[in-house]
Tab-separated table of all heavy atoms in Angstrom:
chain	number	residue	atom	x	y	z
A	356	GLN	N	-16.442	91.416	-81.283
A	356	GLN	CA	-15.139	92.096	-81.410
A	356	GLN	C	-13.981	91.137	-81.713
A	356	GLN	O	-12.840	91.556	-81.838
A	356	GLN	CB	-14.828	92.867	-80.125
A	356	GLN	CG	-15.807	93.999	-79.852
A	356	GLN	CD	-15.511	94.714	-78.536
A	356	GLN	OE1	-14.455	94.509	-77.924
A	356	GLN	NE2	-16.433	95.563	-78.109
A	357	LEU	N	-14.308	89.839	-81.789
A	357	LEU	CA	-13.223	88.854	-81.989
A	357	LEU	C	-12.411	89.144	-83.250
A	357	LEU	O	-11.179	89.201	-83.224
A	357	LEU	CB	-13.812	87.434	-82.054
A	357	LEU	CG	-12.839	86.319	-82.424
A	357	LEU	CD1	-11.785	86.122	-81.338
A	357	LEU	CD2	-13.576	84.994	-82.667
A	358	ARG	N	-13.122	89.326	-84.348
A	358	ARG	CA	-12.437	89.479	-85.630
A	358	ARG	C	-11.502	90.701	-85.616
A	358	ARG	O	-10.337	90.616	-86.005
A	358	ARG	CB	-13.467	89.572	-86.754
A	358	ARG	CG	-12.903	89.847	-88.125
A	358	ARG	CD	-12.052	88.676	-88.588
A	358	ARG	NE	-11.153	89.083	-89.629
A	358	ARG	CZ	-10.986	88.443	-90.785
A	358	ARG	NH1	-11.657	87.353	-91.045
A	358	ARG	NH2	-10.123	88.866	-91.664
A	359	SER	N	-12.018	91.831	-85.153
A	359	SER	CA	-11.173	93.028	-85.175
A	359	SER	C	-9.997	92.868	-84.210
A	359	SER	O	-8.872	93.291	-84.497
A	359	SER	CB	-11.979	94.290	-84.856
A	359	SER	OG	-12.597	94.152	-83.609
A	360	TYR	N	-10.236	92.193	-83.087
A	360	TYR	CA	-9.137	91.977	-82.135
A	360	TYR	C	-8.031	91.134	-82.781
A	360	TYR	O	-6.845	91.461	-82.690
A	360	TYR	CB	-9.653	91.282	-80.871
A	360	TYR	CG	-8.588	91.166	-79.806
A	360	TYR	CD1	-8.441	92.137	-78.826
A	360	TYR	CD2	-7.696	90.095	-79.796
A	360	TYR	CE1	-7.442	92.051	-77.862
A	360	TYR	CE2	-6.692	89.992	-78.845
A	360	TYR	CZ	-6.574	90.978	-77.878
A	360	TYR	OH	-5.567	90.890	-76.941
A	361	VAL	N	-8.460	90.068	-83.448
A	361	VAL	CA	-7.472	89.174	-84.076
A	361	VAL	C	-6.720	89.908	-85.193
A	361	VAL	O	-5.516	89.719	-85.381
A	361	VAL	CB	-8.184	87.894	-84.602
A	361	VAL	CG1	-7.296	87.103	-85.535
A	361	VAL	CG2	-8.622	87.024	-83.439
A	362	ASP	N	-7.426	90.758	-85.909
A	362	ASP	CA	-6.776	91.512	-86.986
A	362	ASP	C	-5.758	92.527	-86.446
A	362	ASP	O	-4.733	92.774	-87.070
A	362	ASP	CB	-7.828	92.266	-87.818
A	362	ASP	CG	-8.579	91.322	-88.757
A	362	ASP	OD1	-8.040	90.229	-89.039
A	362	ASP	OD2	-9.685	91.672	-89.180
A	363	GLU	N	-6.055	93.072	-85.283
A	363	GLU	CA	-5.222	94.172	-84.781
A	363	GLU	C	-4.146	93.727	-83.795
A	363	GLU	O	-3.285	94.521	-83.420
A	363	GLU	CB	-6.121	95.218	-84.096
A	363	GLU	CG	-6.972	95.995	-85.092
A	363	GLU	CD	-8.186	96.653	-84.437
A	363	GLU	OE1	-8.179	96.830	-83.203
A	363	GLU	OE2	-9.136	96.973	-85.178
A	364	ASN	N	-4.234	92.497	-83.340
A	364	ASN	CA	-3.277	92.042	-82.337
A	364	ASN	C	-2.553	90.782	-82.804
A	364	ASN	O	-2.949	90.163	-83.773
A	364	ASN	CB	-3.994	91.764	-81.018
A	364	ASN	CG	-4.552	93.026	-80.409
A	364	ASN	OD1	-3.863	93.763	-79.726
A	364	ASN	ND2	-5.829	93.292	-80.691
A	365	ASP	N	-1.523	90.463	-82.058
A	365	ASP	CA	-0.706	89.320	-82.400
A	365	ASP	C	-1.305	88.088	-81.716
A	365	ASP	O	-1.017	87.825	-80.549
A	365	ASP	CB	0.699	89.634	-81.855
A	365	ASP	CG	1.733	88.762	-82.489
A	365	ASP	OD1	1.399	88.062	-83.450
A	365	ASP	OD2	2.883	88.783	-82.003
A	366	VAL	N	-2.159	87.365	-82.428
A	366	VAL	CA	-2.816	86.191	-81.829
A	366	VAL	C	-2.360	84.951	-82.591
A	366	VAL	O	-2.496	84.876	-83.807
A	366	VAL	CB	-4.355	86.315	-81.907
A	366	VAL	CG1	-5.014	85.044	-81.385
A	366	VAL	CG2	-4.842	87.530	-81.137
A	367	ASP	N	-1.818	83.988	-81.859
A	367	ASP	CA	-1.341	82.757	-82.501
A	367	ASP	C	-2.381	81.643	-82.451
A	367	ASP	O	-2.564	80.903	-83.400
A	367	ASP	CB	-0.072	82.254	-81.794
A	367	ASP	CG	1.009	83.294	-81.778
A	367	ASP	OD1	1.425	83.709	-82.868
A	367	ASP	OD2	1.423	83.723	-80.677
A	368	ILE	N	-3.020	81.525	-81.287
A	368	ILE	CA	-3.889	80.359	-81.061
A	368	ILE	C	-5.259	80.827	-80.569
A	368	ILE	O	-5.348	81.667	-79.669
A	368	ILE	CB	-3.271	79.413	-79.996
A	368	ILE	CG1	-1.861	78.965	-80.425
A	368	ILE	CG2	-4.175	78.209	-79.742
A	368	ILE	CD1	-1.107	78.163	-79.368
A	369	VAL	N	-6.307	80.270	-81.179
A	369	VAL	CA	-7.670	80.532	-80.711
A	369	VAL	C	-8.157	79.272	-79.997
A	369	VAL	O	-8.067	78.168	-80.541
A	369	VAL	CB	-8.602	80.884	-81.886
A	369	VAL	CG1	-10.048	80.994	-81.421
A	369	VAL	CG2	-8.156	82.192	-82.534
A	370	VAL	N	-8.629	79.449	-78.785
A	370	VAL	CA	-9.085	78.317	-77.974
A	370	VAL	C	-10.613	78.315	-77.987
A	370	VAL	O	-11.240	79.295	-77.582
A	370	VAL	CB	-8.569	78.454	-76.522
A	370	VAL	CG1	-8.974	77.251	-75.685
A	370	VAL	CG2	-7.049	78.646	-76.511
A	371	LEU	N	-11.187	77.240	-78.477
A	371	LEU	CA	-12.651	77.183	-78.603
A	371	LEU	C	-13.254	76.342	-77.483
A	371	LEU	O	-13.082	75.119	-77.441
A	371	LEU	CB	-13.047	76.572	-79.947
A	371	LEU	CG	-12.742	77.360	-81.216
A	371	LEU	CD1	-13.264	76.602	-82.431
A	371	LEU	CD2	-13.352	78.756	-81.158
A	372	THR	N	-13.959	77.015	-76.593
A	372	THR	CA	-14.689	76.304	-75.528
A	372	THR	C	-16.149	76.770	-75.583
A	372	THR	O	-16.666	77.324	-74.615
A	372	THR	CB	-14.071	76.576	-74.141
A	372	THR	OG1	-13.873	77.997	-74.004
A	372	THR	CG2	-12.750	75.879	-73.965
A	373	ILE	N	-16.718	76.563	-76.742
A	373	ILE	CA	-18.109	76.947	-76.991
A	373	ILE	C	-18.871	75.699	-77.453
A	373	ILE	O	-18.254	74.701	-77.837
A	373	ILE	CB	-18.206	78.042	-78.089
A	373	ILE	CG1	-17.311	77.693	-79.273
A	373	ILE	CG2	-17.901	79.409	-77.525
A	373	ILE	CD1	-17.404	78.676	-80.422
A	374	PRO	N	-20.201	75.771	-77.449
A	374	PRO	CA	-20.965	74.606	-77.936
A	374	PRO	C	-20.593	74.262	-79.375
A	374	PRO	O	-20.220	75.143	-80.155
A	374	PRO	CB	-22.417	75.087	-77.851
A	374	PRO	CG	-22.405	76.191	-76.853
A	374	PRO	CD	-21.068	76.839	-76.965
A	375	LYS	N	-20.724	72.983	-79.713
A	375	LYS	CA	-20.299	72.558	-81.056
A	375	LYS	C	-21.117	73.245	-82.150
A	375	LYS	O	-20.625	73.459	-83.253
A	375	LYS	CB	-20.340	71.040	-81.203
A	375	LYS	CG	-21.705	70.403	-81.142
A	375	LYS	CD	-21.544	68.908	-81.383
A	375	LYS	CE	-22.895	68.230	-81.351
A	375	LYS	NZ	-22.801	66.790	-81.541
A	376	SER	N	-22.352	73.613	-81.829
A	376	SER	CA	-23.186	74.277	-82.841
A	376	SER	C	-22.602	75.617	-83.281
A	376	SER	O	-22.931	76.128	-84.339
A	376	SER	CB	-24.590	74.487	-82.272
A	376	SER	OG	-24.507	75.218	-81.065
A	377	GLU	N	-21.726	76.198	-82.464
A	377	GLU	CA	-21.160	77.516	-82.760
A	377	GLU	C	-19.740	77.441	-83.313
A	377	GLU	O	-19.237	78.391	-83.909
A	377	GLU	CB	-21.072	78.354	-81.462
A	377	GLU	CG	-22.336	78.397	-80.636
A	377	GLU	CD	-23.414	79.226	-81.285
A	377	GLU	OE1	-23.092	80.337	-81.740
A	377	GLU	OE2	-24.566	78.762	-81.358
A	378	ALA	N	-19.092	76.315	-83.067
A	378	ALA	CA	-17.636	76.257	-83.271
A	378	ALA	C	-17.230	76.370	-84.740
A	378	ALA	O	-16.259	77.072	-85.065
A	378	ALA	CB	-17.084	74.967	-82.677
A	379	ARG	N	-17.965	75.691	-85.618
A	379	ARG	CA	-17.543	75.676	-87.025
A	379	ARG	C	-17.570	77.076	-87.621
A	379	ARG	O	-16.619	77.504	-88.279
A	379	ARG	CB	-18.451	74.727	-87.813
A	379	ARG	CG	-17.996	74.551	-89.249
A	379	ARG	CD	-18.730	73.441	-89.952
A	379	ARG	NE	-18.273	72.127	-89.551
A	379	ARG	CZ	-19.061	71.060	-89.408
A	379	ARG	NH1	-20.346	71.158	-89.597
A	379	ARG	NH2	-18.554	69.897	-89.068
A	380	GLU	N	-18.656	77.788	-87.354
A	380	GLU	CA	-18.802	79.125	-87.934
A	380	GLU	C	-17.680	80.057	-87.448
A	380	GLU	O	-17.071	80.782	-88.231
A	380	GLU	CB	-20.176	79.689	-87.561
A	380	GLU	CG	-20.494	80.946	-88.331
A	380	GLU	CD	-21.841	81.541	-87.921
A	380	GLU	OE1	-22.729	80.783	-87.499
A	380	GLU	OE2	-21.969	82.774	-88.018
A	381	ILE	N	-17.415	79.988	-86.169
A	381	ILE	CA	-16.360	80.873	-85.632
A	381	ILE	C	-14.998	80.495	-86.212
A	381	ILE	O	-14.233	81.353	-86.649
A	381	ILE	CB	-16.361	80.820	-84.097
A	381	ILE	CG1	-17.668	81.439	-83.630
A	381	ILE	CG2	-15.116	81.493	-83.512
A	381	ILE	CD1	-17.747	82.040	-82.299
A	382	ALA	N	-14.728	79.210	-86.256
A	382	ALA	CA	-13.432	78.775	-86.800
A	382	ALA	C	-13.287	79.239	-88.252
A	382	ALA	O	-12.242	79.780	-88.646
A	382	ALA	CB	-13.306	77.264	-86.703
A	383	HIS	N	-14.339	79.061	-89.047
A	383	HIS	CA	-14.252	79.433	-90.460
A	383	HIS	C	-14.130	80.940	-90.647
A	383	HIS	O	-13.498	81.403	-91.598
A	383	HIS	CB	-15.440	78.866	-91.242
A	383	HIS	CG	-15.231	77.418	-91.570
A	383	HIS	ND1	-14.554	76.995	-92.692
A	383	HIS	CD2	-15.555	76.301	-90.890
A	383	HIS	CE1	-14.487	75.668	-92.682
A	383	HIS	NE2	-15.087	75.225	-91.604
A	384	SER	N	-14.696	81.698	-89.720
A	384	SER	CA	-14.616	83.160	-89.854
A	384	SER	C	-13.195	83.667	-89.633
A	384	SER	O	-12.899	84.830	-89.889
A	384	SER	CB	-15.573	83.827	-88.862
A	384	SER	OG	-15.037	83.758	-87.557
A	385	LEU	N	-12.308	82.790	-89.153
A	385	LEU	CA	-10.935	83.234	-88.846
A	385	LEU	C	-9.900	82.685	-89.819
A	385	LEU	O	-8.702	82.905	-89.653
A	385	LEU	CB	-10.573	82.796	-87.418
A	385	LEU	CG	-11.453	83.390	-86.307
A	385	LEU	CD1	-11.134	82.729	-84.974
A	385	LEU	CD2	-11.260	84.899	-86.213
A	386	THR	N	-10.359	81.965	-90.852
A	386	THR	CA	-9.379	81.295	-91.718
A	386	THR	C	-8.531	82.271	-92.533
A	386	THR	O	-7.442	81.927	-92.964
A	386	THR	CB	-10.064	80.300	-92.691
A	386	THR	OG1	-11.089	81.005	-93.378
A	386	THR	CG2	-10.625	79.111	-91.968
A	387	ASP	N	-9.028	83.482	-92.753
A	387	ASP	CA	-8.219	84.437	-93.519
A	387	ASP	C	-7.520	85.450	-92.606
A	387	ASP	O	-7.205	86.553	-93.014
A	387	ASP	CB	-9.091	85.166	-94.553
A	387	ASP	CG	-10.233	85.937	-93.900
A	387	ASP	OD1	-10.571	85.615	-92.736
A	387	ASP	OD2	-10.780	86.848	-94.533
A	388	THR	N	-7.290	85.052	-91.366
A	388	THR	CA	-6.525	85.916	-90.453
A	388	THR	C	-5.121	85.322	-90.293
A	388	THR	O	-4.799	84.297	-90.903
A	388	THR	CB	-7.196	85.998	-89.074
A	388	THR	OG1	-7.172	84.688	-88.487
A	388	THR	CG2	-8.631	86.494	-89.182
A	389	LYS	N	-4.346	85.929	-89.408
A	389	LYS	CA	-2.967	85.449	-89.217
A	389	LYS	C	-2.847	84.371	-88.135
A	389	LYS	O	-1.733	83.968	-87.799
A	389	LYS	CB	-2.069	86.640	-88.846
A	389	LYS	CG	-1.799	87.569	-90.035
A	389	LYS	CD	-0.927	88.732	-89.616
A	389	LYS	CE	-1.691	89.672	-88.720
A	389	LYS	NZ	-1.007	90.837	-88.227
Side-chain angles (χ1 to χ4, degrees):
Q356 296 178 11
L357 173 66
R358 175 66 200 229
S359 57
Y360 186 92
V361 166
D362 284 339
E363 289 160 20
N364 294 276
D365 198 9
V366 175
D367 303 300
I368 303 173
V369 173
V370 183
L371 292 182
T372 48
I373 45 177
K375 66 177 181 182
S376 56
E377 311 288 314
R379 186 170 284 143
E380 191 182 331
I381 294 205
H383 280 274
S384 75
L385 298 172
T386 53
D387 60 340
T388 64
K389 287 179 290 180

